[in-house]
Amino acid sequence: MTRVALVTGGIGGLGSAIATRLAKDYRVVANYLPSLETEAKYWQAQQAKVGMQIDIVAGDVSDAASCEQMASHLLATHGCIDVLINNAGITRDATLRKMPAADWQAVIDTNLSSLFYVTQPLINAMISAGFGRVVNISSVNAQRGQFGQTNYSAAKAGVHGFTKALAQEVAAKGITVNTISPGFINTDMVAAIPDELREQIITDIPVGRVGKPDDIARAVEFLIADDADYITGTELSVNGGIFMH
Ligand code: CAA
């Protein structure tokens, strides 16, 4: 039986790498923001050209009703989502004193409340199946804080709190819940950091390079394996050594 994996933000930098790596062994559904339908269909067609059949599903992870609709569709189509990768996220960087309230809220909604909206309607089917894997993508900037990211650091730190609490609630049901905290990975999000600052960050990475999106996908693959059933509630840093704790 092929397990079904949902990757939120599945057509973006990290999400795309996760979706394509998992597509070899899982039936993958890549979620996308409804306004990105054209991009999502193009992305899906590109994957098909290289022989990867990946389903796509629209859903705004920051919106409860949209997530409920997405979950109903997924459960009707697949019966159960066995593997959930809560990956979708945004940045709206500004120092606290300059941060518009809307940018605070957008980041909290998309990066943290989304875990509630997406996971809650899918968890009962995992419990009934007696199997589930949930991986939540946090950030090194949650672990150590980041100038200009009170919203992002707060939301991403909340992600791991969610992981630890849910991991306890479902541990006896065959479901593991873990966090991956990426460092600086080669995606549009990191490309948007001002050039000078980005160069400085790279010189601080012990491994000597920014990460590849597939470095994160590799970690996801490890945590969701059937025989990774004794690993739960943990936070796996994948950051080239830039932060150790
Ligand atoms: N620590 C201490 N002081 C700093 C600082 C830092 N890291 N960065 C800037 N400052 C100082 C500046 O020198 C300046 O000082 P003065 O007022 O004395 O001149 C003051 O703070 C204001 O700084 P800015 O001019 O930078 O303020 P700004 O409003 O123009 O920009 C900012 C603020 C938008 C936050 C900008 O600094 C920025 O984009 N920083 C990058 C934030 C970042 O690293 N984001 C990570 C994105 S990647 C990601 O999030 C993925 C992931 O998970 C890892």
Short mmCIF file of all heavy atoms in Angstrom, two decimals, residues 14 90-98 111 137-142 144 146-149 152-153 156 181-185 187-194 197-198 201, ligand 1:
data_model
loop_
_atom_site.label_atom_id
_atom_site.label_comp_id
_atom_site.label_asym_id
_atom_site.label_seq_id
_atom_site.Cartn_x
_atom_site.Cartn_y
_atom_site.Cartn_z
N LEU A 14 11.14 25.06 -0.47
CA LEU A 14 11.34 23.84 0.32
C LEU A 14 10.31 22.79 -0.03
O LEU A 14 10.62 21.61 -0.18
CB LEU A 14 11.21 24.13 1.82
CG LEU A 14 12.35 24.83 2.54
CD1 LEU A 14 12.06 24.83 4.03
CD2 LEU A 14 13.67 24.16 2.23
N ILE A 90 5.65 32.13 5.50
CA ILE A 90 5.99 33.40 4.87
C ILE A 90 6.88 34.21 5.82
O ILE A 90 6.95 33.91 7.02
CB ILE A 90 4.73 34.25 4.55
CG1 ILE A 90 3.90 34.54 5.83
CG2 ILE A 90 3.87 33.55 3.50
CD1 ILE A 90 2.81 35.59 5.63
N THR A 91 7.53 35.22 5.28
CA THR A 91 8.19 36.23 6.13
C THR A 91 7.60 37.61 5.82
O THR A 91 7.16 37.86 4.68
CB THR A 91 9.71 36.31 5.87
OG1 THR A 91 9.94 36.51 4.46
CG2 THR A 91 10.44 35.07 6.33
N ARG A 92 7.57 38.45 6.82
CA ARG A 92 7.24 39.87 6.66
C ARG A 92 8.19 40.59 7.63
O ARG A 92 7.80 40.97 8.72
CB ARG A 92 5.79 40.17 7.06
CG ARG A 92 4.72 39.55 6.19
CD ARG A 92 4.54 40.30 4.85
NE ARG A 92 3.44 39.74 4.12
CZ ARG A 92 3.52 38.66 3.31
NH1 ARG A 92 4.68 38.05 3.14
NH2 ARG A 92 2.47 38.22 2.66
N ASP A 93 9.45 40.71 7.24
CA ASP A 93 10.48 41.19 8.16
C ASP A 93 10.40 42.70 8.37
O ASP A 93 10.27 43.48 7.43
CB ASP A 93 11.88 40.84 7.63
CG ASP A 93 12.15 39.34 7.59
OD1 ASP A 93 11.32 38.56 8.10
OD2 ASP A 93 13.21 38.97 7.06
N ALA A 94 10.51 43.10 9.62
CA ALA A 94 10.61 44.51 10.01
C ALA A 94 10.95 44.53 11.49
O ALA A 94 10.58 43.59 12.21
CB ALA A 94 9.30 45.26 9.78
N THR A 95 11.64 45.56 11.94
CA THR A 95 11.85 45.67 13.38
C THR A 95 10.49 45.87 14.06
O THR A 95 9.55 46.37 13.44
CB THR A 95 12.78 46.86 13.70
OG1 THR A 95 12.26 48.02 13.08
CG2 THR A 95 14.19 46.61 13.20
N LEU A 96 10.41 45.50 15.33
CA LEU A 96 9.11 45.54 16.03
C LEU A 96 8.47 46.92 15.93
O LEU A 96 7.28 47.05 15.67
CB LEU A 96 9.29 45.16 17.50
CG LEU A 96 7.99 45.19 18.31
CD1 LEU A 96 7.05 44.09 17.87
CD2 LEU A 96 8.28 45.08 19.80
N ARG A 97 9.31 47.97 16.11
CA ARG A 97 8.69 49.29 16.16
C ARG A 97 8.14 49.71 14.80
O ARG A 97 7.26 50.56 14.73
CB ARG A 97 9.63 50.34 16.76
CG ARG A 97 10.91 50.52 16.07
CD ARG A 97 11.98 51.17 16.95
NE ARG A 97 13.17 51.32 16.15
CZ ARG A 97 13.48 52.43 15.51
NH1 ARG A 97 12.72 53.49 15.61
NH2 ARG A 97 14.58 52.47 14.77
N LYS A 98 8.61 49.10 13.71
CA LYS A 98 8.11 49.47 12.38
C LYS A 98 7.12 48.45 11.82
O LYS A 98 6.60 48.63 10.73
CB LYS A 98 9.28 49.53 11.39
CG LYS A 98 10.26 50.67 11.62
CD LYS A 98 11.27 50.68 10.47
CE LYS A 98 12.44 51.58 10.75
NZ LYS A 98 13.54 51.38 9.76
N ASN A 111 2.10 30.88 9.58
CA ASN A 111 3.18 30.00 10.06
C ASN A 111 2.82 29.22 11.31
O ASN A 111 3.48 28.22 11.60
CB ASN A 111 4.44 30.84 10.36
CG ASN A 111 5.01 31.51 9.10
OD1 ASN A 111 4.41 31.46 8.05
ND2 ASN A 111 6.16 32.13 9.23
N ILE A 137 7.66 22.28 9.91
CA ILE A 137 8.89 22.98 9.56
C ILE A 137 8.98 24.28 10.37
O ILE A 137 8.13 25.18 10.25
CB ILE A 137 8.96 23.30 8.04
CG1 ILE A 137 8.78 22.02 7.21
CG2 ILE A 137 10.28 23.99 7.72
CD1 ILE A 137 9.85 20.94 7.37
N SER A 138 9.99 24.36 11.22
CA SER A 138 10.24 25.57 12.00
C SER A 138 11.44 26.29 11.38
O SER A 138 11.57 26.34 10.15
CB SER A 138 10.48 25.20 13.47
OG SER A 138 10.73 26.35 14.24
N SER A 139 12.36 26.80 12.21
CA SER A 139 13.49 27.58 11.66
C SER A 139 14.54 27.79 12.73
O SER A 139 14.23 27.88 13.92
CB SER A 139 12.98 28.95 11.21
OG SER A 139 14.06 29.82 10.97
N VAL A 140 15.79 27.93 12.28
CA VAL A 140 16.86 28.34 13.20
C VAL A 140 16.51 29.69 13.83
O VAL A 140 16.92 29.97 14.97
CB VAL A 140 18.21 28.40 12.45
CG1 VAL A 140 18.22 29.48 11.37
CG2 VAL A 140 19.36 28.63 13.41
N ASN A 141 15.75 30.49 13.13
CA ASN A 141 15.42 31.81 13.67
C ASN A 141 14.37 31.74 14.77
O ASN A 141 14.11 32.74 15.45
CB ASN A 141 15.00 32.75 12.54
CG ASN A 141 16.19 33.13 11.69
OD1 ASN A 141 17.34 32.85 12.06
ND2 ASN A 141 15.94 33.75 10.54
N ALA A 142 13.76 30.57 14.96
CA ALA A 142 12.94 30.35 16.15
C ALA A 142 13.83 29.98 17.32
O ALA A 142 13.62 30.40 18.45
CB ALA A 142 11.95 29.23 15.90
N ARG A 144 17.00 30.74 17.88
CA ARG A 144 17.93 31.74 18.39
C ARG A 144 17.40 33.17 18.29
O ARG A 144 18.06 34.11 18.74
CB ARG A 144 19.26 31.65 17.64
CG ARG A 144 19.13 31.94 16.17
CD ARG A 144 20.46 31.92 15.44
NE ARG A 144 20.26 32.50 14.11
CZ ARG A 144 21.23 32.74 13.26
NH1 ARG A 144 22.47 32.46 13.58
NH2 ARG A 144 20.97 33.26 12.08
N GLN A 146 15.78 36.33 15.69
CA GLN A 146 16.43 37.02 14.58
C GLN A 146 15.99 38.48 14.55
O GLN A 146 14.78 38.75 14.56
CB GLN A 146 16.09 36.32 13.25
CG GLN A 146 16.54 37.06 12.01
CD GLN A 146 18.04 37.28 11.97
OE1 GLN A 146 18.82 36.39 12.28
NE2 GLN A 146 18.46 38.50 11.64
N PHE A 147 16.96 39.37 14.54
CA PHE A 147 16.67 40.80 14.37
C PHE A 147 15.73 40.97 13.18
O PHE A 147 15.98 40.47 12.10
CB PHE A 147 18.00 41.53 14.09
CG PHE A 147 17.89 43.02 14.03
CD1 PHE A 147 18.25 43.80 15.12
CD2 PHE A 147 17.48 43.65 12.86
CE1 PHE A 147 18.17 45.20 15.04
CE2 PHE A 147 17.38 45.03 12.79
CZ PHE A 147 17.73 45.81 13.87
N GLY A 148 14.64 41.70 13.40
CA GLY A 148 13.71 41.97 12.30
C GLY A 148 12.65 40.90 12.10
O GLY A 148 11.90 40.95 11.12
N GLN A 149 12.60 39.92 13.02
CA GLN A 149 11.63 38.82 12.83
C GLN A 149 10.87 38.48 14.11
O GLN A 149 10.72 37.29 14.43
CB GLN A 149 12.35 37.58 12.31
CG GLN A 149 12.84 37.69 10.87
CD GLN A 149 13.14 36.33 10.26
OE1 GLN A 149 13.89 35.56 10.83
NE2 GLN A 149 12.54 36.04 9.11
N TYR A 152 8.03 36.24 12.92
CA TYR A 152 8.46 34.93 12.40
C TYR A 152 9.07 34.07 13.51
O TYR A 152 8.77 32.88 13.63
CB TYR A 152 9.48 35.19 11.28
CG TYR A 152 9.92 33.98 10.49
CD1 TYR A 152 9.19 33.54 9.40
CD2 TYR A 152 11.10 33.32 10.81
CE1 TYR A 152 9.62 32.45 8.64
CE2 TYR A 152 11.53 32.24 10.07
CZ TYR A 152 10.79 31.80 8.98
OH TYR A 152 11.23 30.73 8.24
N SER A 153 9.95 34.67 14.32
CA SER A 153 10.59 33.90 15.40
C SER A 153 9.54 33.41 16.40
O SER A 153 9.61 32.27 16.87
CB SER A 153 11.64 34.74 16.13
OG SER A 153 12.67 35.11 15.25
N LYS A 156 7.41 30.59 14.64
CA LYS A 156 8.17 29.36 14.41
C LYS A 156 8.56 28.70 15.74
O LYS A 156 8.70 27.47 15.79
CB LYS A 156 9.40 29.65 13.56
CG LYS A 156 9.07 29.99 12.09
CD LYS A 156 8.48 28.79 11.36
CE LYS A 156 8.48 28.97 9.85
NZ LYS A 156 7.91 27.80 9.15
N SER A 181 14.07 22.12 11.95
CA SER A 181 14.42 23.54 11.96
C SER A 181 15.54 23.81 10.96
O SER A 181 16.72 23.60 11.26
CB SER A 181 14.83 23.97 13.37
OG SER A 181 13.68 23.98 14.19
N PRO A 182 15.17 24.25 9.77
CA PRO A 182 16.20 24.54 8.76
C PRO A 182 16.97 25.80 9.13
O PRO A 182 16.46 26.70 9.80
CB PRO A 182 15.39 24.80 7.48
CG PRO A 182 14.01 24.27 7.74
CD PRO A 182 13.81 24.42 9.22
N GLY A 183 18.23 25.83 8.68
CA GLY A 183 19.00 27.07 8.74
C GLY A 183 18.76 27.85 7.47
O GLY A 183 17.62 27.94 6.99
N PHE A 184 19.82 28.38 6.90
CA PHE A 184 19.67 29.20 5.69
C PHE A 184 19.76 28.30 4.46
O PHE A 184 20.80 27.71 4.17
CB PHE A 184 20.72 30.32 5.68
CG PHE A 184 20.41 31.32 6.75
CD1 PHE A 184 20.85 31.13 8.06
CD2 PHE A 184 19.61 32.42 6.48
CE1 PHE A 184 20.51 32.02 9.07
CE2 PHE A 184 19.25 33.31 7.49
CZ PHE A 184 19.70 33.11 8.78
N ILE A 185 18.64 28.18 3.78
CA ILE A 185 18.51 27.26 2.65
C ILE A 185 18.31 28.09 1.39
O ILE A 185 17.68 29.17 1.43
CB ILE A 185 17.29 26.32 2.87
CG1 ILE A 185 17.33 25.65 4.26
CG2 ILE A 185 17.22 25.27 1.77
CD1 ILE A 185 18.50 24.73 4.52
N THR A 187 16.56 29.33 -1.04
CA THR A 187 15.18 29.52 -1.52
C THR A 187 14.96 31.02 -1.74
O THR A 187 15.79 31.84 -1.33
CB THR A 187 14.15 29.05 -0.47
OG1 THR A 187 14.34 29.85 0.71
CG2 THR A 187 14.29 27.59 -0.13
N ASP A 188 13.82 31.38 -2.31
CA ASP A 188 13.49 32.80 -2.52
C ASP A 188 13.46 33.57 -1.20
O ASP A 188 13.79 34.74 -1.15
CB ASP A 188 12.11 32.94 -3.19
CG ASP A 188 12.16 32.48 -4.64
OD1 ASP A 188 13.27 32.27 -5.16
OD2 ASP A 188 11.07 32.30 -5.22
N MET A 189 13.06 32.87 -0.12
CA MET A 189 12.96 33.54 1.18
C MET A 189 14.33 34.04 1.63
O MET A 189 14.47 35.16 2.13
CB MET A 189 12.39 32.55 2.21
CG MET A 189 11.84 33.20 3.45
SD MET A 189 11.22 31.97 4.62
CE MET A 189 9.52 31.84 4.13
N VAL A 190 15.34 33.22 1.44
CA VAL A 190 16.69 33.61 1.85
C VAL A 190 17.29 34.58 0.82
O VAL A 190 18.01 35.52 1.18
CB VAL A 190 17.57 32.35 2.07
CG1 VAL A 190 19.04 32.71 2.21
CG2 VAL A 190 17.09 31.62 3.33
N ALA A 191 16.92 34.42 -0.44
CA ALA A 191 17.42 35.35 -1.47
C ALA A 191 16.93 36.77 -1.19
O ALA A 191 17.58 37.75 -1.60
CB ALA A 191 16.95 34.89 -2.85
N ALA A 192 15.80 36.89 -0.46
CA ALA A 192 15.24 38.22 -0.19
C ALA A 192 15.98 38.95 0.93
O ALA A 192 15.77 40.15 1.13
CB ALA A 192 13.76 38.08 0.17
N ILE A 193 16.87 38.27 1.64
CA ILE A 193 17.67 38.95 2.69
C ILE A 193 18.61 39.93 1.98
O ILE A 193 19.20 39.58 0.95
CB ILE A 193 18.50 37.93 3.50
CG1 ILE A 193 17.59 36.90 4.18
CG2 ILE A 193 19.37 38.63 4.54
CD1 ILE A 193 18.34 35.76 4.87
N PRO A 194 18.76 41.15 2.50
CA PRO A 194 19.65 42.10 1.85
C PRO A 194 21.04 41.47 1.61
O PRO A 194 21.57 40.75 2.47
CB PRO A 194 19.72 43.25 2.87
CG PRO A 194 18.45 43.15 3.66
CD PRO A 194 18.10 41.69 3.70
N LEU A 197 23.97 41.40 4.16
CA LEU A 197 23.65 40.59 5.34
C LEU A 197 23.73 39.09 5.00
O LEU A 197 24.24 38.28 5.78
CB LEU A 197 22.24 40.97 5.81
CG LEU A 197 21.74 40.38 7.11
CD1 LEU A 197 22.69 40.69 8.25
CD2 LEU A 197 20.35 40.93 7.43
N ARG A 198 23.25 38.75 3.81
CA ARG A 198 23.28 37.34 3.40
C ARG A 198 24.72 36.84 3.30
O ARG A 198 25.05 35.74 3.75
CB ARG A 198 22.53 37.15 2.08
CG ARG A 198 22.15 35.68 1.83
CD ARG A 198 21.33 35.47 0.59
NE ARG A 198 21.96 36.03 -0.58
CZ ARG A 198 21.54 37.12 -1.22
NH1 ARG A 198 20.48 37.76 -0.78
NH2 ARG A 198 22.19 37.57 -2.27
N ILE A 201 26.00 36.18 6.71
CA ILE A 201 25.42 34.95 7.27
C ILE A 201 26.18 33.73 6.73
O ILE A 201 26.54 32.82 7.48
CB ILE A 201 23.91 34.85 6.93
CG1 ILE A 201 23.12 35.88 7.74
CG2 ILE A 201 23.38 33.45 7.21
CD1 ILE A 201 21.68 36.08 7.28
N1 CAA B 1 21.65 43.24 15.04
C1 CAA B 1 21.72 44.45 15.63
N2 CAA B 1 21.46 45.60 15.01
C2 CAA B 1 21.12 45.55 13.72
C3 CAA B 1 21.02 44.31 13.03
C4 CAA B 1 21.31 43.13 13.74
N3 CAA B 1 21.23 41.93 13.16
N4 CAA B 1 20.64 44.56 11.77
C5 CAA B 1 20.50 45.91 11.66
N5 CAA B 1 20.79 46.50 12.84
C6 CAA B 1 20.76 47.90 13.18
C7 CAA B 1 21.21 48.74 11.99
O1 CAA B 1 22.61 48.87 12.02
C8 CAA B 1 20.51 50.06 12.25
O2 CAA B 1 21.20 50.76 13.28
P1 CAA B 1 21.15 52.37 13.36
O3 CAA B 1 19.70 52.76 13.47
O4 CAA B 1 21.96 52.66 14.58
O5 CAA B 1 21.80 52.81 12.08
C9 CAA B 1 19.17 49.63 12.85
O6 CAA B 1 19.40 48.32 13.39
C10 CAA B 1 18.07 49.56 11.82
O7 CAA B 1 18.42 48.55 10.92
P2 CAA B 1 17.96 48.58 9.44
O8 CAA B 1 18.46 49.78 8.73
O9 CAA B 1 18.30 47.24 8.86
O10 CAA B 1 16.38 48.71 9.58
P3 CAA B 1 15.41 48.54 8.43
O11 CAA B 1 14.08 48.88 8.99
O12 CAA B 1 15.83 49.21 7.19
O13 CAA B 1 15.46 46.95 8.12
C11 CAA B 1 15.08 44.67 8.48
C12 CAA B 1 15.16 46.06 9.12
C13 CAA B 1 13.94 44.62 7.46
C14 CAA B 1 14.74 43.69 9.59
C15 CAA B 1 16.39 44.30 7.78
O14 CAA B 1 17.44 44.47 8.70
C16 CAA B 1 16.39 42.89 7.28
O15 CAA B 1 15.81 42.55 6.25
N6 CAA B 1 17.05 41.98 8.02
C17 CAA B 1 17.10 40.58 7.63
C18 CAA B 1 16.17 39.78 8.47
C19 CAA B 1 16.47 38.31 8.27
O16 CAA B 1 17.57 37.82 8.50
N7 CAA B 1 15.47 37.56 7.81
C20 CAA B 1 15.67 36.16 7.59
C21 CAA B 1 14.95 35.77 6.35
S1 CAA B 1 15.29 34.09 5.89
C22 CAA B 1 14.24 33.21 6.80
O17 CAA B 1 13.49 33.68 7.58
C23 CAA B 1 14.29 31.73 6.57
C24 CAA B 1 14.70 31.03 7.78
O18 CAA B 1 13.89 30.42 8.42
C25 CAA B 1 16.13 30.98 8.17
#
